Amino acid sequence: MKEKYKYIYFYLIIVLMLLLTACNRSTPANQTTDPHSLEKPSSTLETAPETNLTDLSQKPTLSELPQAKPDVKFKLPYTIDSITIKNDILERNTIVSSYKNDNGIVTFSRDFSTTEEMEMEIIQFDTKNNTYISQYRAAKGMIINTLVSVGDDLFWVENPSKSTDNTTPWKIKRMKRDDLDATATVFAEGISEDQIAVPVLRSNQDEISWIEKKITNHIVKNEAYIYNVKTRIKTTVATQFLNEQSKNREGIFLDLQRPVKEGLLIQQTVFENKDQNNEKRFDIVMYPKDHSKPELIVKDREDIYDFTVNEQWIVLTTESTTEILDRKTKKLIYSIIHDSSLLGGYSPFLFENQLIYKQSPYIMAVDLTTGNKQRLTTKEGSYTPITNFGDILTFTRMDFGKDRTQAELFFVNLNP
């Protein structure tokens, strides 16, 4: 597959873990801000007319949106804690915590590569004593990608930093999180061919999810999985095929996945042959884990960088806006305008009627019942995308202009 996809990845995407992913097909969904770009973004939240966004041709223009609401402070239904750490190991690392315990121990991956070879490890950092222990060290030349903590385990994707003949072997590894004597085991493995990206792990409560792709006789088999660490059940949520045996492709390629309560929200590319013409469109589809009928969330929207849903809301982020739609009607309710030069509007998370998302140079919160929004953080800075473990959302603020060895770790407890 020679055509490149230009999508942005989550959560993905990205902090160092995702930026190191060997992916030529798509652009990371989550990106860190230029550390020197600290201008205030222009942002507004507006009530929009009822417009069905499943049809791209009916998308409203900015001139059609009514006057913006100013920021309004409201009571947040969750607690926010932060820890500031200062250590020389941060100088070359933009860190994102994958876990924090009650004793102030945080877990994250660290890059200590030389100019000659890639070297990475997973460490437990004691924020109270400013010390750390290397829990796992990858072999030289190997990348640790998308480290997540689920249940009592750590999961991550490991692959070579350099591919051979456009193929990249990968392994999903697993290790007990709190046992310093534990050894890593191989949970799953495969080979990414023809410049296809290695899998990206995401988590939701007690589950991890990812997409695997295999090519046989120029047919790409896409399989999306959910694994529950408590029940030890692995569920194949979606299986799609893309036929590339002829010049005109036909089928579906699964690009990005986002786990939610009911299953996997997947951004996919659809190739169809109609009247001797090859058509391509970009949809977002909900694939339920109970294998009930998939739900088309958005049809033919190439401009979407990141996305999420819950029972009531759909959130879509583009280069310059975050759009909030009603889940049942698929109609646009609010549009939040960003300064696209600051890479705003990434990694949205929904908690009932609350939306939290990154809008450089801040992290923002929105009450979707009123349309009111406010800054979740008051300091400007280079914020990482938001990630999660269990009921905790986490992100990091770094101020590269002042001190490259200092980071402020934030933890949003959705169920205090």
Side-chain angles (χ1 to χ4, degrees), residues 333-392:
I333 306 300
Y334 302 116
S335 181
I336 306 170
I337 312 302
H338 314 186
D339 183 342
S340 60
S341 66
L342 295 177
L343 300 176
Y346 294 99
S347 55
F349 279 85
L350 285 165
F351 173 63
E352 297 177 350
N353 291 310
Q354 303 287 320
L355 168 65
I356 302 172
Y357 67 101
K358 174 187 173 182
Q359 179 183 306
S360 299
Y362 300 105
I363 302 294
M364 303 295 294
V366 183
D367 184 340
L368 298 178
T369 61
T370 62
N372 293 333
K373 66 181 175 66
Q374 64 174 302
R375 297 171 186 170
L376 200 65
T377 54
T378 57
K379 296 179 182 177
E380 292 185 359
S382 292
Y383 286 95
T384 66
I386 305 166
T387 60
N388 63 293
F389 57 91
D391 292 327
I392 307 294

Side-chain angles (χ1 to χ4, degrees), residues 169-267:
W170 54 265
K171 294 179 180 179
I172 298 177
K173 291 195 171 183
R174 177 180 190 174
M175 184 172 64
K176 283 298 179 184
R177 185 189 59 231
D178 301 319
D179 184 357
L180 294 178
D181 296 324
T183 58
T185 59
V186 177
F187 176 74
E189 60 186 322
I191 298 177
S192 290
E193 303 175 78
D194 201 12
Q195 300 184 357
I196 294 177
V198 301
V200 173
L201 296 182
R202 287 187 167 178
S203 66
N204 182 54
Q205 296 299 327
D206 296 317
E207 299 174 334
I208 61 168
S209 56
W210 70 98
I211 298 173
E212 292 185 23
K213 302 179 179 72
K214 298 177 182 178
I215 303 177
T216 305
N217 296 326
H218 301 286
I219 295 177
V220 183
K221 182 180 181 181
N222 306 252
E223 291 185 294
Y225 299 104
I226 290 177
Y227 176 75
N228 188 301
V229 298
K230 285 191 173 181
T231 64
R232 300 182 180 181
I233 295 175
K234 177 182 175 182
T235 303
T236 304
V237 180
T239 302
Q240 296 288 359
F241 295 88
L242 176 60
N243 190 334
E244 296 187 308
Q245 292 178 332
S246 63
K247 181 179 179 181
N248 292 327
R249 299 169 174 171
E250 188 164 21
I252 294 176
F253 187 88
L254 303 180
D255 296 303
L256 308 174
Q257 53 90 13
R258 182 76 181 257
V260 293
K261 182 179 180 181
E262 60 198 277
L264 289 182
L265 194 62
I266 297 181
Q267 191 176 50

